[in-house]
Amino acid sequence: MPGKTTTLRMIVGLLPPDSGTIEIFGVDSLADPIAAKQMIAWLPDEPMLYDKLTPLEYLEFVAGLWRIDPRHAQQQAQFLLEALELWPHRHERCEDFSRGMKQKAALAGALIHDPKLLLLDEPLTGLDAAICAAGQEPADRPRAQWLHHHPHHAYPGSGGTAGRPHRHHPARPARCRG
């Protein structure tokens, strides 16, 4: 049985499963990987940014990879950077950011294409308590369902901090069959 991070990597399509299938909202990720990947975003525990870019440039770059209309991308970038308290730093290079600020910029990059499913591997690492507590968006904004693993999160019935992935929102976004 694969570990937590390996399982997340299989769900997002970075690793093939040894056997079985993975479905993302009913889409077989092996049979139609592009359609499956368009519905998901993954934020690893270590933020992956281009340090020479500003958060705004980084989001423009990521939005371009997703072929998002530039006007929509600008609006989405502003919304995300404001929500994550990075708007005042939008023109500063990421190389000078703290780990928490880098994690926020990476989270904005993961959310820029409005994924239906957000997978987080130890998502609270480096984030301040205010951002973690404010894990809600206005009701008029689309929300991604998110599945995360955090080693310090206690799960009901787990007997402590056993690292079982924790899903927010009741739908069944990802299903692994083996």
Side-chain angles (χ1 to χ4, degrees), residues 62-108:
V62 174
L65 294 175
W66 286 108
R67 295 186 173 113
I68 298 172
D69 175 74
R71 284 176 291 179
H72 176 70
Q74 287 175 338
Q75 292 170 349
Q76 184 76 342
Q78 182 172 349
F79 171 80
L80 291 167
L81 293 177
E82 285 176 352
L84 294 168
E85 301 175 354
L86 286 176
W87 187 250
H89 307 282
R90 68 188 175 274
H91 298 300
E92 299 172 23
R93 287 186 177 180
C94 294
E95 68 187 349
D96 296 324
F97 283 2
S98 67
R99 178 169 167 55
M101 290 175 71
K102 287 180 180 183
Q103 192 76 352
K104 290 177 191 181
L107 178 59

Side-chain angles (χ1 to χ4, degrees), residues 33-134:
I34 293 174
K37 288 177 184 178
Q38 289 174 335
M39 292 187 274
I40 59 178
W42 178 54
L43 185 64
D45 62 337
E46 195 61 41
M48 294 185 275
L49 298 172
Y50 292 101
D51 282 345
K52 298 296 182 190
L53 297 180
T54 67
L56 200 52
E57 292 169 336
Y58 173 70
L59 293 180
E60 289 171 1
F61 170 72
V62 174
L65 294 175
W66 286 108
R67 295 186 173 113
I68 298 172
D69 175 74
R71 284 176 291 179
H72 176 70
Q74 287 175 338
Q75 292 170 349
Q76 184 76 342
Q78 182 172 349
F79 171 80
L80 291 167
L81 293 177
E82 285 176 352
L84 294 168
E85 301 175 354
L86 286 176
W87 187 250
H89 307 282
R90 68 188 175 274
H91 298 300
E92 299 172 23
R93 287 186 177 180
C94 294
E95 68 187 349
D96 296 324
F97 283 2
S98 67
R99 178 169 167 55
M101 290 175 71
K102 287 180 180 183
Q103 192 76 352
K104 290 177 191 181
L107 178 59
L111 294 172
I112 193 75
H113 73 288
D114 287 326
K116 290 175 74 174
L117 175 64
L118 174 61
L119 298 160
L120 306 168
D121 191 359
E122 301 188 28
L124 307 182
T125 304
L127 292 181
D128 58 59
I131 293 298
C132 296

Side-chain angles (χ1 to χ4, degrees), residues 7-39:
T7 300
L8 290 174
R9 288 175 185 238
M10 286 190 288
I11 292 171
V12 299
L14 295 175
L15 294 173
D18 292 334
S19 63
T21 62
I22 297 174
E23 293 180 358
I24 309 295
F25 292 102
V27 175
D28 184 324
S29 65
L30 296 175
D32 196 353
I34 293 174
K37 288 177 184 178
Q38 289 174 335
M39 292 187 274

